[in-house]
Amino acid sequence: MKRYFVFLLVLFALLTTPSFAQGKVEGNALRLKGGLFLGSLKTDLEKRNFYTDIVGLEYNQPWQNDSSSSLINDWGFDYFKSINAGILSNVFLGLHINRFARGYEWNSFYATGLGIKEADYRLLYSDINLGVTLSPTSNFRILPKYVLRSLSQTLEGTYLGLGAPSYYGQDSKTTTGTSGLVGVGFEFDLNDRATLFGDILLFGPFLLNSSGLYSSEQFRIYNGGFAFNYANGGYSFYSEKISLGASIVVMPKLRLFVTLDRENMIAKSKSPVAFSVGGDNLDRLGTLMEYVAATAEHKIELSGLKFGATYDLNL
């Protein structure tokens, strides 16, 4: 019910407020797209990392450097095939690749020490879009679409504990997943040059159920021993997205656009194998928390402004 309410709210906003889009396609065309993203990214791996560390009575502060720009954030293309059958003006097929790279730093505290931690993080998700363009009026278009999304994350961390006990640790986490989603776009031409648009993902997984892999390994050497935490299992996610923006023609076939994007990818692991070992002993509480960290439902959150350009090649 919540998703249908959001759908109606966004549709109303697009028709009644000055929010600006991708623009009308003439004939058969290949539309190339590239963008620069300025905003924030919070990964579900931060929360999962917090859960596993709390077992050792170590409290992680929030990760730093979660706001910066990405030079290669969103690029891709859409091919539009002209149909012109009533309100059905064309069908389209596209590929869009989104890439984020972050270096994170944070501190942690335990009873008699300080943890200094850093990690390199990568997020890559790509969308294959298949849809149609419906044109009920000459200046308004509706673009229902099916989205096949592939997702991958990697985290490589290095940890140093200063205190008693002192430690050196390494952390490696990876996730992959594929999911089928249903979305819709809207475009409203203000005039021959300016267009308002919106894009939302409404529902999923659809047709293709979400599936993937979750893997986590953390190894620490203490001045009095070592510890090893491990989890491996399935991984699933679905997406909720709202994007509102505007485009303007600056020269024939070339448009500049700006959008306000907000997207959540809700993810969790399924039926993982998990264990935690301290020295030569199984840590039962640590094992439980490794399982909980993997299976808890958390969000990958993206929000911010995107600036970019599109260019049409007539075919």
Side-chain angles (χ1 to χ4, degrees):
M1 190 67 182
K2 176 183 174 183
R3 296 182 186 179
Y4 294 109
F5 174 76
V6 171
F7 172 85
L8 293 174
L9 181 63
V10 172
L11 178 58
F12 177 79
L14 286 169
L15 295 177
T16 59
T17 63
S19 52
F20 281 81
Q22 305 302 7
K24 187 174 182 179
V25 175
E26 300 293 345
N28 300 329
L30 182 68
R31 172 163 290 175
L32 307 177
K33 177 183 177 183
L36 168 68
F37 183 80
L38 181 65
S40 66
L41 182 152
K42 295 183 180 295
T43 170
D44 64 318
L45 300 183
E46 179 177 357
K47 288 289 187 180
R48 303 187 199 285
N49 187 291
F50 180 89
Y51 281 164
T52 57
D53 283 350
I54 204 70
V55 176
L57 302 179
E58 187 172 5
Y59 181 83
N60 286 336
Q61 289 186 310
W63 293 7
Q64 300 174 27
N65 192 30
D66 62 359
S67 298
S68 61
S69 61
S70 294
L71 294 177
I72 308 176
N73 168 256
D74 180 359
W75 63 275
F77 67 88
D78 288 295
Y79 172 69
F80 293 85
K81 174 67 175 178
S82 179
I83 301 296
N84 292 325
I87 66 170
L88 177 61
S89 57
N90 57 54
V91 298
F92 62 87
L93 173 68
L95 170 66
H96 294 267
I97 298 176
N98 299 266
R99 179 182 180 273
F100 293 86
R102 294 286 188 270
Y104 290 107
E105 298 176 355
W106 69 100
N107 292 332
S108 62
F109 301 96
Y110 52 105
T112 55
L114 169 69
I116 300 174
K117 303 182 177 182
E118 60 182 23
D120 291 324
Y121 171 80
R122 299 288 184 273
L123 168 66
L124 176 67
Y125 65 97
S126 59
D127 293 342
I128 297 176
N129 303 320
L130 176 63
V132 300
T133 302
L134 307 176
S135 303
T137 66
S138 61
N139 64 341
F140 179 61
R141 295 172 295 282
I142 305 172
L143 294 83
K145 61 183 179 178
Y146 180 71
V147 180
L148 180 62
R149 170 166 291 183
S150 295
L151 164 76
S152 69
Q153 297 182 96
T154 62
L155 177 77
E156 299 292 337
T158 302
Y159 308 148
L160 181 64
L162 305 176
S166 59
Y167 65 79
Y168 173 78
Q170 292 188 325
D171 187 13
S172 176
K173 290 181 170 65
T174 62
T175 71
T176 62
T178 303
S179 187
L181 308 167
V182 176
V184 63
F186 302 92
E187 299 183 355
F188 180 75
D189 297 329
L190 294 178
N191 51 48
D192 291 341
R193 297 184 61 205
T195 305
L196 312 179
F197 69 94
D199 185 57
I200 55 179
L201 291 178
L202 296 172
F203 182 72
F206 181 70
L207 296 182
L208 179 65
N209 290 329
S210 179
S211 62
L213 177 66
Y214 173 85
S215 177
S216 175
E217 295 183 5
Q218 188 180 103
F219 183 79
R220 295 192 185 190
I221 302 174
Y222 295 88
N223 53 6
F226 73 91
F228 179 66
N229 301 328
Y230 176 84
N232 187 284
Y235 189 75
S236 64
F237 75 94
Y238 65 91
S239 297
E240 298 173 344
K241 175 184 178 181
I242 297 179
S243 178
L244 301 174
S247 73
I248 187 167
V249 177
V250 293
M251 57 183 296
K253 302 180 183 179
L254 177 65
R255 289 176 176 266
L256 299 182
F257 70 86
V258 59
T259 65
L260 176 63
D261 287 8
R262 182 169 183 85
E263 182 164 3
N264 294 326
M265 287 180 269
I266 296 89
K268 63 180 179 179
S269 181
K270 301 181 294 184
S271 304
V273 174
F275 63 84
S276 177
V277 176
D280 56 357
N281 297 315
L282 179 68
D283 183 343
R284 290 181 175 83
L285 179 58
T287 297
L288 174 61
M289 290 309 294
E290 280 292 334
Y291 183 86
V292 170
T295 56
E297 187 173 274
H298 292 299
K299 295 178 181 178
I300 304 168
E301 300 177 83
L302 302 108
S303 61
L305 285 173
K306 186 180 296 181
F307 306 89
T310 66
Y311 187 80
D312 292 349
L313 297 174
N314 292 334
L315 301 176

